[in-house]
Amino acid sequence: MELSLENRDGLLLQTIWDRIRQQNLLRTPLFPSLFSLTVYLSCCLPYICLDVLSFRFDVIRRFKIQPQSKVTWAMAWGCLLKILHTHAFVIFPITILHWHWTPVVLPIEAPELRSVLGGVLACLLLFDLQYFVWHLLHHKVPWLYHSFHKAHHRHTATFSLTAEHANVWETLSLSFFAAVNPALLGCHPLTKMLFFILNIWLSVESHSGYDFPWSPNRLVPFGLYGGAQHHDLHHLKSRVNYAPYFTHWDRLFGTLCREQ
Ligand SMILES: [Zn+2]
Ligand SMILES: [Zn+2]
């Protein structure tokens, strides 16, 4: 008997979900924070290699948004140490407390492909709005900017590791938005996991400092997605492009900037 496309996707998702569910690691207290840290560093690694190679090869340097900018080992170490410090002393303890109070529930059935795709997109759009409001507020109120957001603006030319180089309050706020959205929208744990991976990758990509022909802002039509160009301009000019990914909120509020 031939399986329809929908049944085949369902079977594939169920197989993937069964494999994931069998991992005891998922039920351990440090899994969420170790998972996000591993995904983050894995997403940064290819860009760190490009940063090293761009010193030697023009063919790479010509894709840099600010070709004159150079990422030094001291800059990379500075970001990495801050990120590891925040994880060790803030994120890990919070994750353990959360695990202690909230039991890990992993349903037997996998979600449908449609609900995975819809859930990931809805979480991403909601995160984009939450970050836009948070970000706008932290630029418009000088006390909020100097106390909390200024740390993220240390580098006027972005590179991958700057994505999570931030004050503890900023890291906690953004982690809270990312964690609460799948719960608010009633997403399956697999959808939640895929949203986390996509959200981390897009955040690293938007800080990568590279604009390739295959970058998401060139693949999403009608200029709906800002990406690396958009966010690099925010680090350079500060008072434009507050949304992390999409362009509609900045367009609506008159804060969209596309040219250097
Ligand atoms: Zn940034
Ligand atoms: Zn900012």
Side-chain angles (χ1 to χ4, degrees), residues 218-235:
R218 296 192 177 272
L219 301 180
V220 178
F222 312 120
L224 293 172
Y225 191 83
Q229 279 273 14
H230 185 255
H231 197 68
D232 194 78
L233 273 174
H234 174 71
H235 278 257

Side-chain angles (χ1 to χ4, degrees), residues 68-105:
Q68 78 290 353
S69 71
K70 283 194 168 72
V71 184
T72 63
W73 285 112
M75 287 156 73
W77 272 119
C79 287
L80 194 61
L81 286 178
K82 191 166 180 59
I83 292 157
L84 293 177
H85 184 270
T86 307
H87 271 80
F89 295 103
V90 183
I91 306 289
F92 287 169
I94 289 177
T95 315
I96 292 170
L97 284 178
H98 182 261
W99 175 85
H100 184 71
W101 284 320
T102 320
V104 180
V105 180

Side-chain angles (χ1 to χ4, degrees), residues 98-130:
H98 182 261
W99 175 85
H100 184 71
W101 284 320
T102 320
V104 180
V105 180
L106 303 173
I108 293 169
E109 279 197 30
E112 283 181 20
L113 183 62
R114 248 182 314 181
S115 106
V116 173
L117 298 177
V120 169
L121 184 64
C123 285
L124 206 61
L125 286 168
L126 192 55
F127 179 85
D128 194 67
L129 167 62
Q130 291 158 330

Side-chain angles (χ1 to χ4, degrees), residues 130-141:
Q130 291 158 330
Y131 186 92
F132 175 78
V133 174
W134 186 99
H135 201 183
L136 192 67
L137 205 64
H138 283 71
H139 272 272
K140 297 289 176 194
V141 181

Side-chain angles (χ1 to χ4, degrees), residues 51 64-66 69-71 75 152-153 155-163 203-210 227-236:
D51 289 336
K64 274 180 81 98
I65 297 166
Q66 296 188 47
S69 71
K70 283 194 168 72
V71 184
M75 287 156 73
H152 183 63
H153 277 272
H155 301 283
T156 48
T158 53
F159 56 95
S160 59
L161 284 167
T162 57
S203 151
V204 170
E205 194 280 331
S206 71
H207 285 88
S208 66
Y210 289 93
Q229 279 273 14
H230 185 255
H231 197 68
D232 194 78
L233 273 174
H234 174 71
H235 278 257
L236 194 65

